[in-house]
């Protein structure tokens, strides 16, 4: 009995390594054989050093590995990084243009972050450390967001004096001085130009100096709903000299405002930004985290859970994430089953687990995608406090063995510190969740702190004492209202240096992912998973991989 290996000189016989039938041995090695044939002309013996996932992780046992322990071997490529397709899916109904999700942490994702993520093709999971009604409002802000359309512009009334507006502009430090004028019913009656909001006219009423409604050119809400930027671009091209497009409904009530400067800015940004992630009705996609709310006797508060999810669904939420530190539990399973039975078509994400049995369990309960990771995050101390958890790359591999059989998606949650980690994670998962990499962005909700001239944002683990007191205790199996027992924190509070906008951070991350795909000759993420070959890296190899033996310099531009 013989098995076959494909080398640079064709097929060559090799003694069997086990007593499996020939067909079984061939099946086990089929993935390696197909990859080797597809990439062509590997030198004889290369396949023994650069191994596909099944062989590599089994050869490494019982040692568990994480991102820096492993590197990917390159392959023949005809793929330019810019042409690599990074789109992915969390379910049949939710598709993303980039495989990045912002974490459901109270210092990472609220509506502003979720909007930025969706505009860049990703997804934001809005945290639940807030009142349920506030989380519903955050979801509504994302779903109702129309890029470029100011949906709630600052307005004035005809009876106000210019002096009042000057005082308002000074107090609120507005950078603009043109205002729509509305009557008490919200109908448009005029437009106040910034040219008349001056000291010399302070004694006059708005009605005396505004441009009346009859002289204004407006656009109907129905005409701009699908693509407001394209509609505004056409509007400004057709009406030379006008730089404000007022959007009204059929009753002439103001529904929004678009400025020509915003259109020009968005149009230029669109050239570098990926296609937004939208639902079937052209709304941005958004997800919301769900807490397993319990009654005083410890049982699930099914009525409260279903009521809250119902309100989120009414606002067209795309994804519900049942987020806990330990997802392989009866409580999490019951919540997933409860929501799945009530909302059969809703995309459900559940976790976190680090085992194949955990994936099987949550798939049985009805989850579409499963979060993998226990303790890899930079502000998570679960492995130190509880002594549990598995290094992330091994956890992803073990989970993937079950995910393939159950046809569910995997999301790598935690431990991502650079774009190379994302590439490695995506060889085994469908998407990644980022917290620390996004916590320093201006769209994150954390408090801003200045220390020695540097600006930082607050970043805390959802298992930190402060976060659990704010509402995330259930995530770690505690009760925030229990005053008799000391809660064991599984996270810390920290600071992240402010890092600019989400657009810039994601551009760098996805650029790195596309580079990795190019090195492996992967046109899409499915090919990346098929072609990945792994090699173990020594401590010296880890040092070699980073900048070393030099003094790194940073060029900064300062305004004198």
């Amino acid at each position: 009995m013989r098995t076959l290996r494909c080398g640079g000189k064709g097929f060559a016989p090799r003694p069997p390594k086990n007593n499996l039938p020939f067909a079984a041995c061939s099946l086990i090695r089929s993935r390696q054989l197909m990859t080797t044939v597809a990439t062509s002309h590997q030198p004889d013996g290369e396949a023994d050093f650069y191994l596909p996932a099944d062989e590599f992780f089994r050869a490494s046992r019982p040692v568990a590995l994480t991102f820096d322990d492993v590197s990917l071997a390159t392959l023949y490529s005809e793929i330019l990084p810019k042409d690599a397709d990074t789109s992915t899916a969390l379910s049949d109904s939710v598709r993303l243009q980039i495989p990045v999700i912002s974490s459901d942490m109270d210092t990472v994702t609220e509506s502003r972050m979720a909007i930025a993520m969706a505009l860049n093709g990703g997804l934001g999971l809005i945290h639940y450390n807030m009142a349920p009604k506030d989380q519903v409002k955050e979801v509504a802000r994302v779903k109702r967001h129309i890029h470029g359309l100011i949906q709630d512009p600052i307005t004035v009334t005809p009876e106000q004096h210019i002096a009042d507006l000057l005082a308002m502009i000074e107090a609120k430090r507005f950078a603009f001085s043109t205002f729509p004028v509305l009557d008490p019913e919200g109908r448009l009656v005029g437009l106040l130009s910034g040219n008349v909001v001056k000291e010399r006219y302070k004694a006059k009423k708005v009605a005396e100096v505004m441009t009346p409604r009859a002289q204004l050119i407006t656009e109907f809400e129905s005409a701009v709903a699908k693509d407001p930027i394209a509609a505004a671009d056409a509007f400004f091209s057709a009406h030379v000299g006008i730089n404000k497009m007022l959007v009204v409904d059929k009753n002439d009530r103001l529904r929004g405002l678009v400025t020509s400067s915003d259109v020009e800015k968005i149009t230029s940004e669109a050239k570098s930004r990926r296609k937004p992630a939208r639902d079937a009705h052209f709304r941005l996609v958004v997800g919301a985290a769900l807490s397993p709310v319990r009654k005083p006797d410890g049982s699930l508060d099914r009525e409260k859970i279903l009521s809250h999810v119902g309100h989120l669904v009414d606002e067209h939420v795309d994804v519900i994430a049942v987020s806990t530190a330990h997802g392989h539990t009866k409580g999490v399973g019951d919540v997933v089953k409860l929501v799945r039975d009530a909302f059969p078509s809703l995309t459900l994400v559940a976790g976190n687990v680090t085992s194949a049995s955990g994936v099987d369990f949550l798939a049985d309960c009805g989850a579409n995608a499963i979060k993998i990771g226990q303790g890899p995050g930079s502000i998570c101390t679960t492995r130190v406090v509880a002594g549990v958890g598995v290094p992330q790359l091994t956890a992803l591999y073990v989970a993937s063995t079950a995910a393939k059989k159950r046809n569910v998606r995997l999301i790598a949650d935690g431990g991502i510190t650079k774009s190379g980690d994302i590439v490695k994670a995506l060889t085994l998962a469908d998407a990644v969740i980022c917290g620390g990499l996004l916590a320093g962005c201006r769209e994150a909700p954390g408090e801003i702190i200045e220390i020695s001239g540097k600006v930082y944002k607050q970043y805390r683990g959802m298992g930190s004492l402060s976060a659990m007191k704010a509402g995330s205790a259930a995530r770690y199996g505690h009760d925030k209202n229990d005053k008799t027992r000391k809660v064991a924190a599984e996270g810390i509070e920290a600071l992240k240096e402010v890092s600019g906008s989400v657009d810039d951070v994601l551009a760098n991350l996805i650029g790195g992912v596309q580079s990795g795909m190019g090195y492996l000759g992967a046109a899409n993420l499915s090919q990346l998973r098929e072609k990945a070959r792994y090699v173990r890296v020594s401590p010296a190899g880890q040092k070699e991989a980073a900048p070393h033996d030099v003094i790194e310099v940073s060029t900064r531009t300062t305004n004198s």
Side-chain angles (χ1 to χ4, degrees):
M1 180 172 59
R2 299 182 299 176
T3 57
L4 296 177
R5 178 181 57 162
C6 180
K9 299 178 180 179
F11 289 91
R14 183 169 68 180
K17 292 184 178 180
N18 51 47
N19 295 320
L20 291 174
F22 178 79
C25 290
S26 298
L27 180 63
I28 291 173
R29 295 187 59 80
S30 62
R31 184 175 179 182
Q32 180 185 356
L33 287 169
M34 287 188 294
T35 300
T36 308
V37 170
T39 53
S40 77
H41 305 306
Q42 294 186 57
D44 194 25
E46 179 176 306
D48 292 327
F49 288 92
Y50 306 147
L51 303 177
D54 287 337
E55 293 190 20
F56 175 78
F57 285 99
R58 292 181 185 278
S60 299
R61 59 188 179 187
V63 177
L65 306 172
T66 192
F67 300 117
D68 285 346
D69 295 320
V70 169
S71 190
L72 298 172
T74 59
L75 287 164
Y76 170 76
S77 177
E78 296 180 358
I79 303 299
L80 293 175
K82 68 181 181 64
D83 297 326
D85 179 10
T86 59
S87 63
T88 190
L90 301 184
S91 68
D92 292 338
S93 60
V94 177
R95 188 162 186 83
L96 307 178
Q97 301 303 316
I98 63 171
V100 181
I101 301 169
S102 65
S103 178
D104 50 319
M105 302 171 71
D106 61 4
T107 52
V108 177
T109 308
E110 290 180 357
S111 58
R112 191 180 176 197
M113 174 65 75
I115 288 169
M117 290 297 300
L119 287 173
N120 280 281
L123 175 73
L125 292 178
I126 294 176
H127 69 87
Y128 59 64
N129 260 21
M130 61 178 80
K133 64 178 182 180
D134 291 334
Q135 190 187 39
V136 173
K137 289 179 181 177
E138 291 292 301
V139 168
R141 287 191 183 102
V142 181
K143 298 305 293 185
R144 296 174 186 174
H145 176 80
I146 302 177
H147 196 37
L149 177 66
I150 304 171
Q151 293 175 290
D152 297 303
I154 305 299
T155 61
V156 298
T157 65
E159 297 304 312
Q160 287 181 275
H161 285 84
I162 298 300
D164 298 330
L165 304 188
L166 290 169
M168 178 178 68
I169 292 171
E170 177 68 23
K172 298 188 177 182
R173 298 182 179 180
F174 288 151
F176 56 89
S177 56
T178 298
F179 303 92
V181 185
L182 306 184
D183 67 13
E185 284 74 41
R187 287 189 291 266
L188 183 67
V189 295
L191 180 69
L192 183 67
S193 169
N195 294 330
V196 297
V197 184
K198 299 180 182 299
E199 282 288 331
R200 70 178 63 189
Y201 305 121
K202 65 181 180 181
K204 294 185 178 293
K205 288 186 177 182
V206 170
E208 298 178 64
V209 294
M210 71 181 188
T211 303
R213 174 67 181 92
Q215 297 178 23
L216 296 178
I217 301 174
T218 60
E219 189 62 270
F220 282 113
E221 183 180 27
S222 58
V224 306
K226 186 173 182 180
D227 192 341
I229 298 306
D233 193 39
F235 177 90
F236 292 128
S237 296
H239 302 95
V240 179
I242 295 179
N243 55 24
K244 300 283 190 300
M245 184 179 80
L246 298 167
V247 181
V248 297
D249 63 15
K250 61 182 180 180
N251 296 315
D252 217 29
R253 290 186 173 86
L254 186 67
R255 286 292 177 257
L257 169 71
V258 182
T259 69
S260 59
S261 59
D262 283 347
V263 170
E264 290 167 4
K265 179 181 178 183
I266 292 167
T267 302
S268 63
E269 287 178 349
K271 296 176 182 177
S272 59
R273 177 183 274 155
R274 282 166 177 77
K275 185 179 179 182
R278 298 187 184 275
D279 64 17
H281 299 282
F282 207 70
R283 296 174 297 229
L284 298 179
V285 299
V286 64
L290 179 66
S291 171
V293 182
R294 297 184 179 276
K295 297 179 180 178
D297 64 2
S299 62
L300 285 175
D301 194 331
R302 295 173 180 267
E303 183 178 343
K304 185 176 288 187
I305 291 172
L306 289 180
S307 174
H308 180 51
V309 175
H311 289 311
L312 292 170
V313 170
D314 289 341
E315 294 295 345
H316 309 288
V317 72
D318 300 278
V319 176
I320 291 292
V322 183
S323 295
T324 67
H326 187 22
H328 195 180
T329 62
K330 182 180 184 301
V332 173
D334 288 346
V335 173
V336 175
K337 290 177 184 176
L338 178 68
V339 177
R340 172 56 68 224
D341 291 342
F343 304 96
S345 60
L346 185 61
T347 297
L348 293 182
V349 173
N352 284 34
V353 299
T354 52
S355 63
S357 57
V359 171
D360 271 331
F361 171 73
L362 292 174
D364 283 337
C365 294
N368 301 99
I370 296 165
K371 295 201 297 177
I372 308 301
Q374 290 174 320
S378 62
I379 38 67
C380 184
T381 59
T382 294
R383 295 182 191 172
V384 176
V385 172
V388 301
V390 178
Q392 190 70 336
L393 212 53
T394 294
L396 285 170
Y397 168 71
V398 174
S400 71
T401 60
K404 293 173 188 174
K405 298 174 184 176
R406 303 307 303 271
N407 195 30
V408 294
R409 276 76 171 187
L410 292 187
I411 303 173
D413 183 10
I416 303 291
T417 62
K418 50 192 175 294
S419 58
D421 296 342
I422 299 179
V423 178
K424 296 171 191 177
L426 291 175
T427 64
L428 299 164
D430 298 275
V432 301
I433 287 180
C434 294
L437 285 176
L438 301 173
C441 296
R442 58 172 175 253
E443 293 86 352
E447 292 182 17
I448 294 179
I449 301 171
E450 184 175 347
I451 301 175
S452 301
K454 286 191 175 182
V455 182
Y456 300 87
K457 272 202 165 186
Q458 179 192 20
Y459 179 47
R460 67 184 184 186
M462 294 298 277
S464 65
L465 286 174
S466 61
M468 287 196 287
K469 288 178 181 177
S472 68
R475 188 181 189 131
Y476 292 84
H478 302 296
D479 181 358
K480 71 172 183 177
N481 298 313
D482 189 347
K483 308 297 183 183
T484 62
R485 288 177 294 181
K486 183 178 177 64
V487 174
E490 294 182 32
I492 63 170
E493 297 177 62
L495 298 175
K496 292 287 292 187
E497 191 169 356
V498 171
S499 56
S501 71
V502 170
D503 290 1
D504 294 337
V505 172
L506 289 178
N508 287 329
L509 292 178
I510 299 305
V513 171
Q514 290 181 303
S515 291
M517 295 171 70
Y519 276 114
L520 269 66
N524 52 50
L525 296 182
S526 178
Q527 289 187 14
L528 179 66
R529 289 187 284 274
E530 292 171 3
K531 294 188 173 188
R533 301 177 305 161
Y534 306 81
V535 64
R536 184 82 176 270
V537 181
S538 68
Q542 294 175 15
K543 178 183 176 183
E544 180 185 65
H548 55 90
D549 302 322
V550 295
I551 298 175
E552 193 169 356
V553 297
S554 176
T555 302
R556 298 177 184 270
T557 302
T558 58
N559 295 322
S560 55

